[in-house]
Amino acid sequence: MLDTSARNKLIAIVGEEHFKDNQEALISHSYDATPIYQEIPDAVLFPGSTAEVSAVLKVASEHLIPIVGRGAGSNLCGGTVPVKGGIVMVTNRMNQLLEIDTDNLTAIIQPGLITSNFHKEVEKLGLFYPPDPGSMSISTMGGNIMENAGGLRGLKYGTTRDYVIGLEAVLPSGEIIRTGGKLYKDVAGYDLTKLLVGSEGTLAIITEATVKLLPAPKVKRTMIAMYEDIYAAARTVSKIVGNRIIPATLEFIDNATLRVVEEYNKLGLPTDMDAILLIEQDGMDLSVVEKDIKEIINICKQEGAVDVKIAQSDEEATKLMQARRGALSTIARIRPTTYQEDATVPRSKIAEMVTQINQIAEKYNLQICTFGHAGDGNLHPTCATDARDKEEFHRVEMAYEEIFRAAIDLGGTITGEHGVGLIKAPYLEWKVGRIGIEIMKGIKRAFDPDNILNPGKIWPEEIKEGEVHDSTFS
Amino acid sequence: MLDTSARNKLIAIVGEEHFKDNQEALISHSYDATPIYQEIPDAVLFPGSTAEVSAVLKVASEHLIPIVGRGAGSNLCGGTVPVKGGIVMVTNRMNQLLEIDTDNLTAIIQPGLITSNFHKEVEKLGLFYPPDPGSMSISTMGGNIMENAGGLRGLKYGTTRDYVIGLEAVLPSGEIIRTGGKLYKDVAGYDLTKLLVGSEGTLAIITEATVKLLPAPKVKRTMIAMYEDIYAAARTVSKIVGNRIIPATLEFIDNATLRVVEEYNKLGLPTDMDAILLIEQDGMDLSVVEKDIKEIINICKQEGAVDVKIAQSDEEATKLMQARRGALSTIARIRPTTYQEDATVPRSKIAEMVTQINQIAEKYNLQICTFGHAGDGNLHPTCATDARDKEEFHRVEMAYEEIFRAAIDLGGTITGEHGVGLIKAPYLEWKVGRIGIEIMKGIKRAFDPDNILNPGKIWPEEIKEGEVHDSTFS
């Protein structure tokens, strides 16, 4: 519960209509797209400007009220669940595309702007903002920045952090900091811009961002390659890149996923295959793209693809990609709870990783569908389950713990693009070690000495003694 | 002076032959490629392994001895001058290329590896590591990482930070931290990898790095465009990019530079021109590259280029690029001291910036040649002077202070690729503000609580009261 003085101050800042603490508002902001986690906040705020965000943070600092920044709440790590109560601050009123600068190839946006709306505006000018997380039709740019969102184009084009070159952000004290700018090169001190990207709302609240844009590719070709053996599919992925071709998209879909997607969507997918690869190449010149696709087809066949098909039209390409883009929502229709993770390994380890995921699924008697961004080793083992079945859900948790362990043992990481949030906090030490966590906590203190910004996230509250695992340290 | 106990421990760690405190060693490590700054260290160490670096840092922590990491000392910001004495630790024995992984398109290197040697090995395999700082034939990869080195290919390919995806580094405590890995996506906590890149030796000593590689472009075309008006040249830069073409190189050379380079090198440069642009495009396909070059030529002519020439052979291309690559060393032949800076502005502000530099040079009666990476707004105003002439050198310092101010006022930064080091520490606040510096100091404390790593760099020791300038803060 907020005390009356704090409550009155906050209402005075954002206005009655943008301060909510009725049951509906509190409950609908008590969870996000992640299953299981829920905690009721004390209030939900919808600030309309940087000045309001600053004033809210001053009050929060004074009264030591936790602040959870929130875009669309589409994250998959429990990142916006207000586990310590306090205020959920939603940025959806600050949703303007402030500028597209075609001389400098930059855009300036507010955090509440919907990602796919931004894509559309940029594309109208023949420009391109590559990050395309699965949730892009509802996710916000601010959320993407806080989670360093990836997507299907990561291999060729990188992720959100590669595109953010300037930020305006509000510190817990209410002070406003500006980092970077319309600058392709800037080495004035530590790179606070890149540090804030992916900081999961724990260091500052972003109120404006400057991002780089690229010239839009003019042509694209989409193809599918089918395999009776996942190792052959995985070898193909390494071989394509090893042959110095970087496709725009290089997605993997396993048999379990194929069967579920086909059952519900009737796309004509080959459900007898062990795996398929969905491959897109884009570029400025049709002949170059077609040359790449031809070479990719040769590699697919050499590595044992049973069949290869090129989409003959945009509609057909969209339909093929639908098998991948719709996988999560289709799996979500099978059972009440969908548990998706994003363990990531070096590209060359994908087959081993998928094999281990399948063994783990069998061991714990679970249905785990695996698909994902094979080109950058970023897999999405996705379990259809029911969180209300405590016995089964315990098996799910044990299975994912083993999946994280397997990823780390293969030189990978516990999270490639979803963030740590609540769900992976217990495992962070496996990747970054105890000293890595200590350094991160020191960075947190530099920004947020009173721990009011999204408390309880990224690392566990207490690192339990006796639970130290092998880390990546020598 | 090191106390005897510390000295003995250090000798025991690296061996007699890799510990030096004779006059020659101390003097030759008392300065770097930056003019003016010099300070004699207490010892120079050449460790041979991560374990030795770790042991040295433990001793340094125990005895509170400053440690300045050093590669080739080719930096231009005074970054490796041991202003607080202590130990200069040179990484040139740790110079191995440990692995090139063609499946994952990554390489693992030690910090002492010479940049251009790395280029050569990578290129043998048809791969490409883009960062190409001017000093690449002597600079080390570790130095490049610590300064986030840029180069001529920044616009199209980015800078060092864009390629470093994993680090092994030793903290002041001697503890070894590993960040990232062979991973194109990794969001497990704050991005310590990107934070360490560009940290100028103040947070940790790097002992190993994993970097991304690209497929090497197969073809390249080089051209030159000549202008009687720098505004026309600058407009061309924005127009090329505005036309959705990103050249591999887009360099600007002003008249002052042209005259000096031509006088000493007799390359046949048009010394009657106000400015020239040197443009390279590369790619996988000749027809596409030639299409781009054709379009670029059209834009150059539309914007008022007096003449345009395409190199007809590799030799001619090399000769053209020599005008740019050799500019700094040629200017260095004119007078005893060469003072080069790297103020950077948004691409669209280049003409204004060059005009202001020329006005400032005139005001202070100095010879300032300006050339640089126009495509990314990263200019190198370079002054031929004599540091022994105190009156003149005072004018140089005042002129550069005005240049930094002008860059900031145009939405730019005080340093695009050289780093802050000693030389720009007094001006950092203009770019990042007082609170930005406070945050950076907090980050520094998280890594190096006793301030033993490269002390006295990046920000001034004391921020003097009464010297607060307008900052970028609202």
Side-chain angles (χ1 to χ4, degrees), chain A residues 103-104 125 151 161 175-176 180 185-187 190-191 202 244 347-348 373 376 378 413 415 417 431 473, chain B residues 103-104 125 151 161 176 180 185-187 190-191 202 244 347-348 373 376 413 415 417 431 435 473:
Chain A
D103 276 346
N104 290 305
L125 299 170
R161 185 177 282 119
E175 286 170 297
I176 298 161
K185 284 180 176 167
D186 177 16
V187 293
Y190 304 145
D191 195 334
T202 63
R244 319 287 181 261
R347 184 189 304 127
S348 59
H373 319 304
D376 46 34
N378 180 198
T413 185
T415 175
E417 60 180 10
K431 175 69 183 90
F473 290 73
Chain B
D103 276 346
N104 290 305
L125 299 170
R161 185 177 282 118
I176 297 160
K185 284 181 178 167
D186 177 17
V187 292
Y190 303 147
D191 195 333
T202 62
R244 319 286 181 261
R347 184 188 305 127
S348 59
H373 318 305
D376 46 35
T413 184
T415 175
E417 60 181 10
K431 175 68 183 91
I435 182 74
F473 289 74

Side-chain angles (χ1 to χ4, degrees), chain B residues 324-397:
Chain B
R324 167 62 189 87
R325 288 255 178 221
L328 178 59
S329 57
T330 305
I331 295 166
R333 288 155 72 182
I334 312 179
R335 298 194 59 204
T337 309
T338 314
Y339 199 96
Q340 180 180 78
E341 280 309 336
D342 63 327
T344 299
V345 292
R347 184 188 305 127
S348 59
K349 303 291 186 187
I350 295 162
E352 277 176 71
M353 187 66 203
V354 174
T355 304
Q356 290 199 37
I357 291 169
N358 291 344
Q359 286 164 354
I360 292 165
E362 201 173 329
K363 173 176 170 187
Y364 290 104
N365 191 25
L366 296 167
Q367 182 177 13
I368 299 183
C369 300
T370 299
F371 53 93
H373 318 305
D376 46 35
N378 180 198
L379 294 170
H380 292 309
T382 306
C383 184
T385 180
D386 185 346
R388 294 166 304 184
D389 181 339
K390 286 206 169 9
E391 183 279 325
E392 177 174 324
F393 205 73
H394 182 60
R395 281 186 279 125
V396 171
E397 290 177 316

Side-chain angles (χ1 to χ4, degrees), chain B residues 239-303:
Chain B
K239 271 283 162 66
I240 291 170
V241 179
N243 272 276
R244 319 286 181 261
I245 302 170
I246 310 286
T249 298
L250 186 38
E251 295 289 310
F252 171 91
I253 302 179
D254 79 348
N255 176 268
T257 312
L258 279 176
R259 281 186 286 116
V260 171
V261 173
E262 183 57 22
E263 186 180 341
Y264 285 82
N265 300 301
K266 308 291 178 209
L267 296 165
L269 294 170
T271 53
D272 52 333
M273 291 291 136
D274 221 30
I276 64 168
L277 295 178
L278 268 167
I279 305 168
E280 288 192 321
Q281 182 58 306
D282 62 11
M284 293 297 170
D285 188 275
L286 185 60
S287 67
V288 176
V289 169
E290 290 191 331
K291 199 172 133 201
D292 277 358
I293 288 286
K294 206 172 147 188
E295 216 171 314
I296 291 170
I297 289 174
N298 284 340
I299 294 167
C300 291
K301 287 183 179 164
Q302 274 164 27
E303 295 304 322

Side-chain angles (χ1 to χ4, degrees), chain B residues 37 76 339-345 353 356-357 360 379 381 396-416 418-420 422-428 430-431:
Chain B
Y37 298 98
L76 293 168
Y339 199 96
Q340 180 180 78
E341 280 309 336
D342 63 327
T344 299
V345 292
M353 187 66 203
Q356 290 199 37
I357 291 169
I360 292 165
L379 294 170
V396 171
E397 290 177 316
M398 287 193 298
Y400 277 92
E401 182 160 321
E402 285 198 27
I403 289 171
F404 296 142
R405 184 77 259 166
I408 293 288
D409 289 344
L410 291 168
T413 184
I414 56 171
T415 175
H418 292 175
V420 179
L422 283 175
I423 219 163
K424 273 154 289 187
Y427 311 107
L428 181 67
W430 295 2
K431 175 68 183 91

